[in-house]
Amino acid sequence: MLIKRILVIVLFFMVSVHHAQSNNDIIKEAQKLLVENYIFLDKAKETNTHLDALMKKNFFDKMTPPEFAKSFTQELQKITKDKHLRFSAPRTQKGKNAEKSFINNLSRYGKPMLRGFQLFKSNIGYIDLSYFGGNKNHLELIDLAMKGVESADALIIDMRRNGGGSPSTVNYLSSYFFNEKLLLNSIYSRSKNHTEELWVVDVEGRKRPKVPVFILTSKRTFSGAEDFSYTMQSRGRATIIGEVTGGGAHPTRGFSLSNGYSIGIPFARTINPVTKTNWEGTGVQPDIVINADDALEKAKELSKSKSIAYRDSYFKPLEEKLDNIKDGKVTIEKKKYVFEQLERLVKANMIDEGEVNNLGYGYIQKDQAEVGVVIFEFNTIAFPNSANTWDSLAEAYLKLDNKEKAKEYYEKAFEMDPEGWVGENAKEMLQKIKSL
């Protein structure tokens, strides 16, 4: 019995010694990686000196893995103040989670990047993103959301629960709001002595270079979410509403260590071309400081007037030009002004062929066919390969009792679509004109 007790004590002592040595060995692995990779070499060396002093005091000796991970992270950040610099314990899964480990490793069953999007009253769009994924399907989700709010006259983008992610995906979303080929960010890596430049890129959807944008932030807004907010704010493309953000501007890479431990080391720093700095340690400063829980309602309130002003800046000039020809006196000069405003709207993706067509029929229904003719004439110029534009122009001329012009354009519509419904309609109308 005595021998068994002695063996237990010896084994316990051996395990304790091994555990202490293992922790110190892991710290030394991390120290080497810090010197090789951390963005600020002087801070890496200062941190290592601090860790050496702690190890001499056996500071980390008897800690369990979770305690070790928490304490080591705190000591790393004590010198660097860098919230991206984190040490993690081995992953453990118990019970039901262990059974689901295979499924849990599949991204399709993880937290969705796009929480949702919708249109609020006053034609205000809203997008809520939880992070910025780095795969092609994440870019497609951004396209999907932007398509869903394509008609919005103001946008609210929610970053309050967004912890960051891929810089390239952040850059892709930012690119939706700029037409120019601007440099949005630079990322400098010390270990490679290399600077990567992130410029405005082409996107799959419709760009919104002038739409008013409001971005919501909180204390939890971090890293890539701060990048998006800071970039948009620095370029004067968004109003930030909410709380000062977390303050993490350094892109990070994960490294595996012994015994299942790992460490995330910031290897680069973001440099904004406008401010020549970033938000590291300070966070993004909101234009309107307000409790995060109240930020959405504040953004809705502010975006109402902005959305109306945005809408009117495009449509009021067209309405004024159309009013000038309601008296039936259509001059070349008046028509030119209407064409210019319609072209401006088409180029800005505010209206398309169908919208122009609807606008023309609106005036025909109000017995203002001369206005409808001008609008439909523009549609045939902007979209000459559409049989429908010629069919509509013919109908407008028929309303003005100009059978020759109506016949000419119905014949053109029929030639372009002889087997389709537009061609069938044109054929029927040509027969009616002939009988008249």
Side-chain angles (χ1 to χ4, degrees), residues 320-377:
E320 290 170 3
K321 301 304 179 186
L322 290 172
D323 283 344
N324 288 336
I325 59 175
K326 283 181 180 178
D327 56 8
K329 297 177 182 178
V330 179
T331 65
I332 293 174
E333 198 67 18
K334 287 179 179 180
K335 186 187 291 187
K336 176 188 171 186
Y337 290 145
V338 170
F339 280 16
E340 285 175 352
Q341 292 306 318
L342 285 168
E343 185 179 14
R344 175 172 171 257
L345 286 163
V346 169
K347 283 185 175 179
N349 291 314
M350 295 292 287
I351 56 175
D352 56 16
E353 177 197 336
E355 291 284 4
V356 175
N357 220 44
N358 291 339
L359 185 64
Y361 276 112
Y363 281 95
I364 285 179
Q365 289 166 5
K366 291 186 287 188
D367 293 324
Q368 295 172 7
E370 67 282 352
V371 181
V373 164
V374 174
I375 294 169
F376 290 138
E377 279 185 355

Side-chain angles (χ1 to χ4, degrees), residues 384-395 405-431 433:
N385 298 320
S386 168
N388 193 50
T389 64
W390 297 100
D391 181 86
S392 298
L393 180 58
E395 185 175 345
K405 284 286 187 182
K407 181 174 179 293
E408 177 186 349
Y409 296 131
Y410 274 131
E411 285 175 348
K412 188 172 183 65
F414 177 73
E415 288 172 8
M416 294 179 70
D417 187 38
E419 304 297 328
W421 67 270
V422 174
E424 285 295 320
N425 179 72
K427 183 179 178 181
E428 183 181 330
M429 294 308 298
L430 283 168
Q431 290 172 347
I433 292 172

Side-chain angles (χ1 to χ4, degrees), residues 227-270:
D227 183 354
F228 174 67
S229 305
Y230 192 86
T231 297
M232 294 286 285
Q233 184 187 52
S234 69
R235 289 286 182 181
R237 277 301 288 118
T239 300
I240 311 298
I241 302 175
E243 299 169 345
V244 177
T245 61
H250 297 155
T252 304
R253 181 176 296 133
F255 296 88
S256 297
L257 302 170
S258 299
N259 295 356
Y261 288 96
S262 62
I263 186 170
I265 299 179
F267 67 95
R269 61 188 174 93
T270 303

